[in-house]
């Protein structure tokens, strides 16, 4: 049997899903690590990006921070954490993934808020809105598509990279891949890789749907074409007296 066939046999065995340290338990750990990392990154990056975007300053700093953060490999951070008080395990992985998720959230939120038309802000202030109300009711709704894009990018990257937790004694679906390499079981390696890939794709689709629902304005599915108005038939009478 091929390695892919062995992977299908492994995934179709209910015992591999429900046993202790099985797929469902590892999936829960994987999602927990990813969710905590993205939430921590959002709590750090979002208010900074909104403050800099509304003030119109700090664009260079945002670019520098984003580029530097992207240049640092997650595995390198995990190696540094291993010789620090942070140590091994899920905590180290969560911190490293949070650092990894900050750049797309920071950059997209800043660009979205900074790109709001100044005339729209002035009109909102002319209606008596305070600075906080302008940010909440004007800037953030208009910047929401870019904010959601940054959040989606960060989340998918984190979900796909959280498998590194297995290299530092953590949990998650990466443990299946590590175990497969340790046992030279290529079917188990493929099964773990497939689960991680499917989870990343499902995360992408879910966040695309959430972005579509949360974005203000008329809703239309991207694969549907806009309806063209139907022209009414002419009601002018003809020479015979019968309207067209």
């Amino acid at each position: 049997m091929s390695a892919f066939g062995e992977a299908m046999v492994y995934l179709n065995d209910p015992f591999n899903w429900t046993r202790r340290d099985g797929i469902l338990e590892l999936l829960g750990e994987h999602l927990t690590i990813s969710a905590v990392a993205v939430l921590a990154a959002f709590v750090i990056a979002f208010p900074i990006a909104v403050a800099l975007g509304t003030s119109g300053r700090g664009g260079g700093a945002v670019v520098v921070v984003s580029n530097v953060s992207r240049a640092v490999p997650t595995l390198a951070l995990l190696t540094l954490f291993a010789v620090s008080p942070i140590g091994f395990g899920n905590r180290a992985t969560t911190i490293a993934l949070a650092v990894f998720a900050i750049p797309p959230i920071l950059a997209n939120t800043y660009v979205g808020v900074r790109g709001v038309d100044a005339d729209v802000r002035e009109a909102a202030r002319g209606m008596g809105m305070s600075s906080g109300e302008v940010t909440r009711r004007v800037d953030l709704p208009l910047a929401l598509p870019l904010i959601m894009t940054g959040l989606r990018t960060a989340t998918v990257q984190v979900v796909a990279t959280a498998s590194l937790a297995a290299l530092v004694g953590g949990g998650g679906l990466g443990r299946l891949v590590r175990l497969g390499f340790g046992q030279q079981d290529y079917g188990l390696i493929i099964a773990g890789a497939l689960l991680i890939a499917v989870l990343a794709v499902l995360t992408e689709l879910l966040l695309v749907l959430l972005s579509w629902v949360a974005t203000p304005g008329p809703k239309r599915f991207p694969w549907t074409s806009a309806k063209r108005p139907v022209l009414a038939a002419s009601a002018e009478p003809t020479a015979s007296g019968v309207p067209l």
Side-chain angles (χ1 to χ4, degrees):
M1 183 182 294
S2 65
F4 187 81
E6 293 176 356
M8 292 298 101
V9 171
Y10 181 88
L11 293 175
N12 283 306
D13 187 349
F15 178 72
N16 292 328
W17 288 80
T18 57
R19 64 180 172 83
R20 185 178 180 183
D21 290 335
I23 295 175
L24 291 179
E25 184 175 335
L26 296 178
L27 175 62
E29 291 179 346
H30 198 106
L31 292 175
T32 300
I33 293 171
S34 302
V36 173
V38 173
L39 180 60
F42 188 82
V43 169
I44 294 172
F46 182 74
I48 296 175
V50 171
L52 294 177
T54 53
S55 66
R57 302 174 181 176
V62 170
V63 173
V64 171
V65 170
S66 298
N67 291 337
V68 170
S69 301
R70 289 173 179 171
V72 178
T74 305
L75 188 58
L77 285 178
L78 291 175
T79 304
L80 293 176
F81 291 162
V83 296
S84 71
I86 297 176
F88 294 93
N90 291 340
R91 181 176 64 173
T93 306
T94 302
I95 296 174
L97 291 175
V99 174
F100 184 53
I102 285 176
I105 297 175
L106 180 67
N108 281 269
T109 302
Y110 174 82
V111 171
V113 174
R114 189 72 184 92
V116 175
D117 195 341
D119 293 337
V120 176
R121 289 197 181 101
E122 289 299 325
R125 294 190 184 97
M127 296 173 62
M129 291 187 185
S130 63
S131 298
E133 289 176 331
V134 171
T135 300
R136 292 192 306 271
R137 301 174 62 180
V138 177
D139 292 338
L140 294 183
L142 293 177
L144 187 59
L146 273 178
I147 295 173
M148 290 301 299
T149 299
L151 181 62
R152 185 175 75 247
T153 302
T155 304
V156 174
Q157 289 178 349
V158 166
V159 168
T161 313
S163 54
L164 293 177
L167 300 178
V168 291
L173 295 173
R175 289 180 61 182
L176 296 176
V177 180
R178 189 192 66 177
L179 183 61
F181 276 111
Q183 299 178 349
Q184 293 296 301
D185 187 344
Y186 298 107
L188 185 56
I189 296 173
I190 294 175
L194 284 175
L195 288 171
I196 295 170
V198 169
L199 181 60
V201 171
L202 291 178
T203 302
E204 172 80 14
L205 294 176
L206 178 62
L207 290 176
V208 166
L209 179 61
L210 180 62
S211 177
W212 178 79
V213 171
T215 301
K219 299 292 188 299
R220 183 172 63 86
F221 289 108
W223 58 82
T224 58
S225 58
K227 294 182 178 180
R228 297 180 179 179
V230 179
L231 298 177
S234 176
E236 296 180 1
T238 60
S240 60
V242 180
L244 294 175

